[in-house]
Amino acid sequence: MNLHAILSILVFSPLLGIAVLALMPKDQEKSIKLVGFLATLPALLISLAAYAHYLAGKHLSDFSVSVEWIHFRGMNVEAPYFAVNYELALSGFQLLLVVLTAVVATLASIAARYVKKEWKGFFMLFLLLEVGMLGVFTAENLILFFIFFEVTLIPTFFLIGKWGYFEREKAAYSFLIYNGLGSAVLLIVIMILFAKTGTTNINILKDILADPSAPVSGDLKLGLLIALLVAFGVKLPIFPLHSWMLRVHVQAPVPTVMIHSGILLKIGAYGLIRFGMGLFPEQFDTLSTLIAVLGVINLLYGAFLAFIQTDFKMVLAYSSISHMGIVLIGLAAMNEAGVQGAIFQVISHGLISALLFFIVGVLYERTDTSLIGNLGGMAKGMPVAAGFLLAGAMASLGLPGMSGFVSEFMAFLGLFKEMPWLAAVGTIGIIMTAAYLLRAVLGMTFGKSHREFTGVVDLKGVEFVPVVVLMLLIVLIGVYPSVLSSPLQATLETIMPGLGG
Amino acid sequence: MSFETLSQFNWSVMTPEFIILGVAALLTIMDLFMPKGQDRRILGWIGIAAIAAAMVSVASLAGGAVVSILDDTFRLDSFAIAFKLLLLGGAGLVMFLAVSYEAKDGMEEYRGEFYYLFLTALLGAMFMASSGDLITLFIGLELLSVSSYILAGIRKHNLKSNESAMKYVINGGISTAITLFGMSYVYGLTGSTNLLAIAQSLSGLTDGQHVYLLGLSFLMIFVGLAFKLAAAPFHMWAPDVYQGAPTPVTAFLSVVSKTAGFVIVIRILLTVFGAATTKGPGSMPILLDMQDYIAFIAGATMIIGNVVALKQSNIKRMFAYSSIAHAGYILVALTSLSSNMFYSIWFYLLAYLFMNLGAFAVIQIVTEKNGSAKIADFAGLYRRSPGLAVVMGILLISLAGFPGTAGFIGKLNIFIGAFAGTPHYVLASIMIATTVVSYFYYFGVMTQIFFRPAANEDRFKIPASILVVLIVAVVGSVLFGVMPNIALDFMNNNLDILADFFS
């Protein structure tokens, strides 16, 4: 069987949904929501099938596809063309992110039941966003990566600006401008590499840059890496480039924020690992102390500020900043445990934050508030939701047996080996994480109740699907981490030699 | 020149110009003999047919050797063909806008003129693309300019339109004078007006005094032509002229006239100053020596265009600044002088033609319906006319340079040139940073269209001719964004600009 077309089908399958939606009348709420949900399923099924393909012991390279696409005119006779091919491929790391994307997108489309208006436009943009995300994780050259990266930008702008909460337009603009600047810096890096080497294929670039006679000097490489750090630092976000993300997390509608914190932030981590570490390993090593310090700052800054928030959404937003610090810490360790921990954290946080933001969305839907004070005593009115909230918070603070523990443990294990002092400072963040999450969650579930919860319905019906699926995945990773670590093995083996570790 | 010499010329290379000239003359006469009350739109349709025929004939000339006739004043090389296609395409789409433009404010009586003046302006631009001599270049420039002055003021009883024409005449006149003065130095030093002859006699220039004089002349010519491109700091006229002129004329100025501006800049700067040496044969050409000035103008144009556009509340003024900014991007390609310069400029102008003319088509519909040109008039367009809103959305995204659109590929081309060879990091960074600034105002219009409620729910009636423009613009913007090789391959296969530009 020819598998080369599979990835293209996977990436562009949501477009089918867009086409169907375009033909539907815009006031049929129920069927539009159904179509929107169904349209995410092909990508989910194909990505799971790809995972099964891998489990069956076959090669992921079966899926690679490369077709000639654009020939820019080159600069001289020896290189008459600068070719950009249409190239998609999967490695273990990319496979995991694609599965994560497909899962979260499907669950978010269920959460889209709370969308109140213009469902048709919402789902069309939502599905376009899914195309962008799947493309980002499968693209094999930098230009294609950038194209998909920008494709995520425009739908997200509209999803926030039109369907968000009160200050939605402001949030949408700060999203657009910060990310626009980030991608502008990224574009500079890509175009410099392209103009100097004549290719943007990631694997070829890796070989060219590893060659000391390459037309890219060490200083330029260091500059490019710093630029990448800024570009993806906006996305991740790294302190002090994070302020846009707080607004987005508070103002965006539930499905968008699930996607945003679950997947879009992870593009930053993915980019740092694949391009930062993958293309410039030596320079990454030079900067590793800086990156570790940034990671610890992120971890502590997020944790301390999360501790004083009154809005649970803000707690989660700062918590995301804090958890992304752990990704940086793991990467800065530059050893196998650290990098593996960072990747684990990327995936684990994707699941956990999607779960928590979904529950917050449910609460907001029922009570019109997400302030911790106003939600006190919800365990009485909504025991099931409160239970899942507590479980999600436990996963987030790293309770053993859940995914958060594995990733934090490995990331710190890595850093303790390389920079024990920084790691020791970082552990304060772990303690703070437990403190702020318990403060917030206990305040909501068992806190003093300021309101009656009569008439407030607990989780019901289809709402159980996202909650249960995410929870199961979190526990699965926690007790059986090799679902992640075995596909990652090959990826780590290709990154590690470059690091000399 | 006897009849024999005349008849020996290969006149067929001028077919496109003859078609436009003939039809312009024909329309003048028809306009004269048509009864007063009769609808003059038919003249517009004839004009469109003429432009289409001229396009076909230009395309059929592609791929041949360089032909030059009339004592080398008129030359048909790949450069001329490539840019004539752009000029004709742009003018054709503008004519579609003009056909459905509602005449008012004293323009009713001049409807016929409205159409054939577009043709004469186009003829001037085409001559510039094909000229091998300073005199014909200048005459082409004047033909284009004078026609445009009248067009800008054609709404006789409208104060803004009058202001627009007045400002345009004065600014245009001054800039032409400066250019001409600069040209006079070149003539004085070489004794010839033929571009290639000038290039040849300057290629061995050693005298420092002469180099100095030529440097001055370079600056004067470039400053004069910068007016035409609306490059900062010589852009002041653009917003006022764009605002007051009828929308099709604004579209013409922002696309066709600008393309023609780049044509003449490239012709003169590259042949004359690209060949003129600073210290004898083989030394650095004056153009390279003066690169910093072009870089400065490019940077200033991008910054001023994009930043000032932020504050505009009138959509036509906003697009005036936006078009200033786009001229800045193209100047980056000119500054970098890389071997793909022609291609990147040509492709960017092609992308710009589609996205800008499409946007002006939407602007024309919305402003005619509302009777004003405020950005706030776009509020709720998505509710009133979803199709129109999505079209405008795509065009704005292309103008902002997002992937999937021709605007993005155009920018990539420019970046490749800017980073290859001697990299221009600062200029490229300014270009990227100002592009991000441009998101603010392009997305500001989008906010109005998609997020704001509509003042009323009236639907729009889209005339067939504008529909044509919208379809062509969107298809062009997306097609050349996804499959840019259709255009790039055409250039590579048929038009080897570099090879025959200097011969």
Side-chain angles (χ1 to χ4, degrees), chain A residues 351-371:
Chain A
L351 297 169
I352 295 171
S353 66
L355 171 66
L356 289 174
F357 273 110
F358 179 74
I359 297 178
V360 180
V362 171
L363 293 179
Y364 194 91
E365 193 57 29
R366 307 273 204 275
T367 60
D368 272 336
T369 179
S370 57
L371 295 182

Side-chain angles (χ1 to χ4, degrees), chain B residues 180-302:
Chain B
L180 197 58
F181 191 47
M183 287 179 180
S184 71
Y185 279 84
V186 176
Y187 176 72
L189 281 173
T190 60
S192 169
T193 54
N194 184 286
L195 289 175
L196 291 176
I198 293 174
Q200 198 159 25
S201 71
L202 290 179
S203 62
L205 196 65
T206 42
D207 189 338
Q209 300 279 339
H210 289 185
V211 173
Y212 181 72
L213 270 184
L214 266 182
L216 275 183
S217 125
F218 169 88
L219 284 182
M220 273 185 281
I221 292 179
F222 189 56
V223 164
L225 295 177
F227 271 100
K228 268 268 150 294
L229 306 176
F234 314 109
H235 64 283
M236 304 296 189
W237 58 274
D240 293 328
V241 173
Y242 280 32
Q243 185 186 4
T247 311
V249 178
T250 313
F252 184 86
L253 293 180
S254 78
V255 175
V256 182
S257 188
K258 199 174 286 268
T259 305
F262 277 104
V263 166
I264 186 171
V265 166
I266 295 173
R267 268 279 187 224
I268 295 189
L269 293 197
L270 255 68
T271 31
V272 175
F273 297 100
T277 51
T278 43
K279 290 187 187 74
S283 63
M284 185 197 257
I286 289 183
L287 183 58
L288 219 53
D289 200 34
M290 292 290 194
Q291 204 178 24
D292 288 350
Y293 294 95
I294 309 181
F296 173 77
I297 298 230
T301 307
M302 290 186 287

Side-chain angles (χ1 to χ4, degrees), chain A residues 69-73 75 118 146-147 150 154 157-158 161-162 169 173 176-177 180 184 188 191-192 194-195, chain B residues 339-340 343 382-383 402-403 408 412-413 416 419-420 425 432 440 443-444 447 450-452 482 484-485 492:
Chain A
W69 187 30
I70 308 177
H71 297 288
F72 290 108
R73 194 177 164 88
M75 287 301 134
E118 302 192 24
F146 184 79
I147 290 176
E150 295 267 290
I154 297 167
F157 171 81
F158 283 109
K162 195 162 175 75
E169 282 187 18
Y173 261 98
L176 181 73
I177 296 308
I188 295 184
M191 292 321 290
I192 291 178
F194 192 29
Chain B
S339 68
N340 81 348
Y343 296 84
Y382 178 64
R383 300 208 61 84
F402 275 93
F408 174 69
L412 283 194
N413 258 325
I416 294 177
F419 286 128
Y425 291 123
I432 290 195
F440 267 109
F443 277 78
T447 320
F450 291 100
F451 298 167
R452 299 268 187 271
V482 181
N485 264 76
N492 278 329

Side-chain angles (χ1 to χ4, degrees), chain B residues 17-34 40 42-51 53 95 111-113 115-117 119-120 123:
Chain B
E17 281 81 4
F18 280 128
I19 295 175
I20 300 293
L21 176 65
V23 173
L26 179 74
L27 292 186
T28 322
I29 297 167
M30 279 176 75
D31 187 34
L32 200 61
F33 288 107
M34 266 168 107
R40 294 238 179 334
I42 181 74
L43 301 182
W45 290 109
I46 297 175
I48 291 174
I51 291 174
M95 281 298 264
R111 249 210 115 104
E113 280 177 29
Y115 301 125
Y116 57 75
L117 281 172
L119 291 186
T120 51
L123 186 65

Side-chain angles (χ1 to χ4, degrees), chain B residues 9-18 57 61 67 69 74 76:
Chain B
F9 287 137
N10 181 2
W11 289 106
S12 66
V13 296
M14 272 180 101
T15 323
E17 281 81 4
F18 280 128
S57 101
L61 291 170
V67 184
I69 57 172
F74 184 94
L76 189 82

